[in-house]
Amino acid sequence: MITIIAGTNRPNSNTLKVAQFYQNQLAEKGLKTELLDLQDLPETIIGSDLYGKRSEAFSKIQDLVTKTNKFLFVIPEYNGSFPGVLKTFIDACSFPESFYDKKACLVGISSGKYGNIRGIEHFNGVCAYLHLNVMPLRLHIADIKTELDENAQLTKEDTLKFVNQQMDKFAAY
């Protein structure tokens, strides 16, 4: 099973729009996915799920993570790295069964011109520690506001070419 993780809890985020775009692209390739929007994390995650306690709300998310074989992370740039809520989510998940020896695909997005290159590298270090095997082809979609049209679709020909290439490789990974 593939789970796509929209790596921020910001409402109406471009991250969620890109995650949904990827979900549709994978569906067109005949792959079933689940979408985990970090807006759906319980508000009490820090007090209830980080240090041995488990809330009922997060238990459902943990079940999804445990059943997942492949993760696709869409990660926006926050202050030159990745969002703290994404790290909090990772920390709240059970170790090692959540990510150990599973596979991941990384997509960075930013409003700037580098597509969250640094944040993806930082997150890759977290993945290495977790023994989460990252597919070598990572995308960095810069200037995301010009990449998405009014229907939340990626429209630039070169971006679509690389997204399709990444999805084909991820399906076979």
Side-chain angles (χ1 to χ4, degrees):
M1 175 173 38
I2 297 172
T3 297
I4 301 168
I5 297 175
T8 182
N9 60 343
R10 177 178 287 174
N12 264 343
S13 71
N14 287 324
T15 302
L16 180 58
K17 292 171 187 172
V18 172
Q20 290 167 332
F21 181 84
Y22 268 82
Q23 186 175 38
N24 291 334
Q25 294 298 301
L26 289 167
E28 286 180 14
K29 295 179 184 299
L31 298 170
K32 184 181 182 300
T33 63
E34 295 288 335
L35 178 61
L36 176 56
D37 181 357
L38 294 189
Q39 287 185 90
D40 296 333
L41 292 176
E43 290 181 13
T44 60
I45 189 170
I46 291 174
S48 64
D49 292 287
L50 282 182
Y51 302 108
K53 300 176 187 175
R54 184 60 76 211
S55 68
E56 185 177 325
F58 194 81
S59 289
K60 295 173 187 171
I61 294 169
Q62 179 62 62
D63 289 344
L64 172 64
V65 169
T66 301
K67 292 176 188 173
T68 298
N69 298 319
K70 292 181 179 181
F71 296 92
L72 189 151
F73 291 91
V74 180
I75 305 174
E77 181 178 346
Y78 275 36
N79 299 314
S81 190
F82 61 89
V85 71
L86 178 56
K87 182 66 165 71
T88 300
F89 161 72
I90 297 289
D91 290 346
C93 289
S94 298
F95 183 82
E97 63 268 17
S98 295
F99 303 105
Y100 203 90
D101 279 341
K102 295 181 181 182
K103 297 177 179 179
C105 179
L106 306 181
V107 180
I109 68 167
S110 70
S111 57
K113 63 181 179 176
Y114 298 112
N116 198 17
I117 291 172
R118 186 179 296 136
I120 293 296
E121 286 303 315
H122 292 167
F123 192 72
N124 191 65
V126 173
C127 292
Y129 181 83
L130 297 170
H131 292 252
L132 179 58
N133 302 300
V134 177
M135 187 177 79
L137 178 58
R138 301 172 218 163
L139 287 191
H140 304 279
I141 305 173
D143 200 14
I144 192 63
K145 291 177 184 173
T146 66
E147 291 278 349
L148 292 167
D149 68 11
E150 63 278 355
N151 298 314
Q153 299 297 301
L154 294 171
T155 59
K156 291 187 178 178
E157 189 175 325
D158 60 338
T159 302
L160 290 170
K161 178 182 120 182
F162 290 120
V163 166
N164 281 313
Q165 181 184 28
Q166 186 186 40
M167 290 303 86
D168 288 342
K169 288 185 179 285
F170 189 51
Y173 186 56

